[in-house]
DNA sequence: CGAACGACCTGCAGGC
DNA sequence: TGCCTGCAGGTCGTTC
């Protein structure tokens, strides 16, 4: 489910409730995720204090005094805070219990997610090659243009490569390309600097809008069921194949790019 | 080396 | 009702 805004919203929702707390115990019901959960994880984090919770791309980094727990939500993963005695349901694979009687529960039907322990996140192979965060200043049109030189792959695949930029998934790649008026199949190396500047701006605006929406959703977070709740930004083209283009009313088209569904307007995006 | 593809999983909607 | 197919917001490891 989650792309960068959802992961960030999840982080902001859970962090205040568990930062500085100490892990009392953990419960692993299903260790087989994308990779097996790190063996003897309990030995690593039991009795340890959670110092910080940060994000790199779509990876959540739970920073303890002695190392970092890396959590990825895959396609269908969720993290929720619950009372310690909450009823367990199907796909509730992992619980981490904290000293303030809160249970952090990882639920993931498809099990594409990951939970891994590392002593040095800075050099971890999953993190070390991730590109710039899209909401920082060093991600901009010039960076994209420069990095795309000579590349023939479709701009959409280029954008969804986490080595190029962190956290852009199928939805936001689709939406940003529509906003920027760029055809998703256009070879990355054949797009002008000016158009890349427009694209970088579109990415930043869309992500910020989604974050704001997530922040609004978060208001219910502590009050209701303890779930950050997934939210859906009003999407202009994603999931709207055959509907009229919001700009020109031409029916939106849809095609597969690298096996991912892609919606676009053949008139507005060139 | 970069780019394309397969693989990992479950759940759901739609067609027959 | 049941079976089959295709689809889903990710991305690493392998192959070409």
């Amino acid at each position: 489910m989650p792309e960068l805004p959802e992961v960030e919203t999840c982080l902001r929702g859970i962090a205040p409730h568990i930062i500085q707390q100490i892990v009392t115990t953990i419960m692993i019901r299903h260790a087989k995720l994308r990779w097996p959960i790190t063996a003897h994880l309990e030995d690593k984090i039991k009795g340890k204090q959670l110092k910080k919770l940060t994000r790199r791309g779509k990876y959540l980094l739970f920073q303890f005094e002695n190392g970092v727990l890396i959590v990825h939500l895959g396609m269908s993963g969720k993290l929720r805070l619950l009372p310690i005695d909450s009823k367990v349901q199907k796909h509730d694979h992992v619980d981490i219990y904290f000293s303030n009687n809160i249970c952090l529960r990882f639920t993931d039907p498809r099990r594409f997610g990951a939970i891994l322990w590392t002593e040095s996140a800075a050099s971890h192979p999953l993190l070390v090659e991730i590109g710039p965060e899209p909401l920082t200043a060093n991600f901009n049109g010039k960076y994209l243009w420069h990095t795309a030189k000579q590349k023939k792959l479709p701009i959409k695949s280029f954008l969804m490569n986490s080595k190029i930029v962190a956290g852009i998934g199928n939805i936001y790649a689709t939406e940003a390309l529509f906003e920027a008026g760029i055809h998703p199949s256009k070879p990355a190396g054949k797009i002008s600097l000016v158009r890349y500047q427009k694209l970088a701006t579109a990415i930043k605006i869309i992500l910020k809008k989604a974050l704001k929406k997530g922040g609004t959703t978060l208001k219910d977070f502590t009050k209701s069921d303890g779930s950050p709740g997934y939210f859906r930004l009003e999407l202009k083209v994603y999931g709207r194949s055959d509907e009229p283009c919001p700009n020109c009313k031409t029916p939106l088209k849809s095609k597969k790019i690298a096996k991912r569904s892609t919606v676009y307007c053949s008139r507005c995006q060139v």
Side-chain angles (χ1 to χ4, degrees):
Chain A
M1 291 211 174
E3 294 194 32
L4 187 150
E6 288 81 1
V7 177
E8 178 67 25
T9 299
C10 174
L11 183 159
R12 292 180 190 177
I14 65 177
H17 302 275
I18 55 174
I19 291 294
Q20 293 184 359
Q21 298 299 318
I22 290 164
V23 174
T24 55
T25 183
I26 69 172
M27 166 71 72
I28 298 174
R29 299 185 194 83
H30 199 140
K32 202 172 164 279
L33 302 180
R34 168 145 204 195
W35 299 281
I37 294 175
T38 302
H40 311 297
L41 181 59
E42 184 160 12
D43 297 345
K44 320 260 186 211
I45 62 174
K46 191 171 176 174
K48 297 295 188 290
Q49 187 185 43
L50 180 63
K51 295 289 189 188
K52 266 176 108 176
L53 178 50
T54 58
R55 178 187 59 73
R56 183 73 180 96
K58 293 173 190 163
Y59 293 92
L60 287 165
L61 307 177
F62 292 77
Q63 304 187 20
F64 290 89
E65 47 203 289
N66 57 328
V68 176
L69 191 68
I70 303 171
V71 175
H72 195 287
L73 300 175
M75 294 272 265
S76 57
K78 269 194 193 124
L79 284 173
R80 287 173 297 162
L81 297 180
L82 298 163
I84 42 170
D85 54 355
S86 295
K87 197 178 157 195
V88 173
Q89 292 176 303
K90 203 176 180 183
H91 309 304
D92 290 344
H93 304 313
V94 179
D95 288 348
I96 300 177
Y97 302 92
F98 288 92
S99 44
N100 56 349
N101 286 343
I102 277 180
C103 166
L104 177 67
R105 178 166 289 170
F106 176 85
T107 306
D108 185 7
R110 291 178 76 180
R111 286 189 280 118
F112 284 179
I115 299 181
L116 298 168
W117 177 259
T118 178
E119 260 102 53
S120 59
S123 61
H124 194 280
L126 287 176
L127 305 173
V128 80
E129 287 197 287
I130 299 180
E133 289 291 328
L135 292 175
T136 57
N138 53 344
F139 174 77
N140 53 45
K142 207 166 185 177
Y143 164 79
L144 283 175
W145 178 73
H146 194 257
T147 312
K149 270 187 185 164
Q150 315 279 32
K151 293 193 190 295
K152 291 176 184 158
L153 85 172
I155 176 60
K156 179 162 179 266
S157 303
F158 178 71
L159 275 188
M160 289 177 67
N161 181 346
S162 66
K163 291 179 185 177
I164 305 301
V165 53
I168 310 288
N170 201 32
I171 291 181
Y172 294 108
T174 299
E175 291 291 312
L177 287 167
F178 174 75
E179 285 299 331
I182 298 171
H183 194 288
S185 300
K186 180 110 180 154
K190 291 182 70 178
I191 296 168
S192 69
L193 173 59
V194 171
R195 301 187 81 199
Y196 268 123
Q197 284 166 338
K198 196 171 177 190
L199 179 59
T201 303
I203 289 169
K204 286 171 195 273
I205 290 174
I206 289 168
L207 291 178
K208 279 183 195 165
K209 220 183 265 182
L211 279 171
K212 198 172 171 190
K213 178 108 179 185
T216 316
T217 315
L218 267 188
K219 284 185 179 161
D220 334 299
F221 174 62
T222 47
K223 292 173 191 162
S224 55
D225 65 345
S227 161
Y230 286 102
F231 49 94
R232 169 84 58 112
L233 191 69
E234 281 90 57
L235 303 170
K236 291 197 179 169
V237 291
Y238 182 86
R240 296 187 184 276
S241 181
D242 302 330
E243 292 182 32
C245 166
N247 288 346
C248 76
K249 310 300 175 205
T250 302
L252 295 171
K253 287 193 174 183
S254 130
K255 70 186 291 194
K256 295 272 179 191
I257 296 177
K259 306 214 166 162
R260 308 301 299 276
S261 82
T262 308
V263 183
Y264 63 101
C265 174
S266 57
R267 184 147 177 258
C268 299
Q269 292 173 259
V270 291

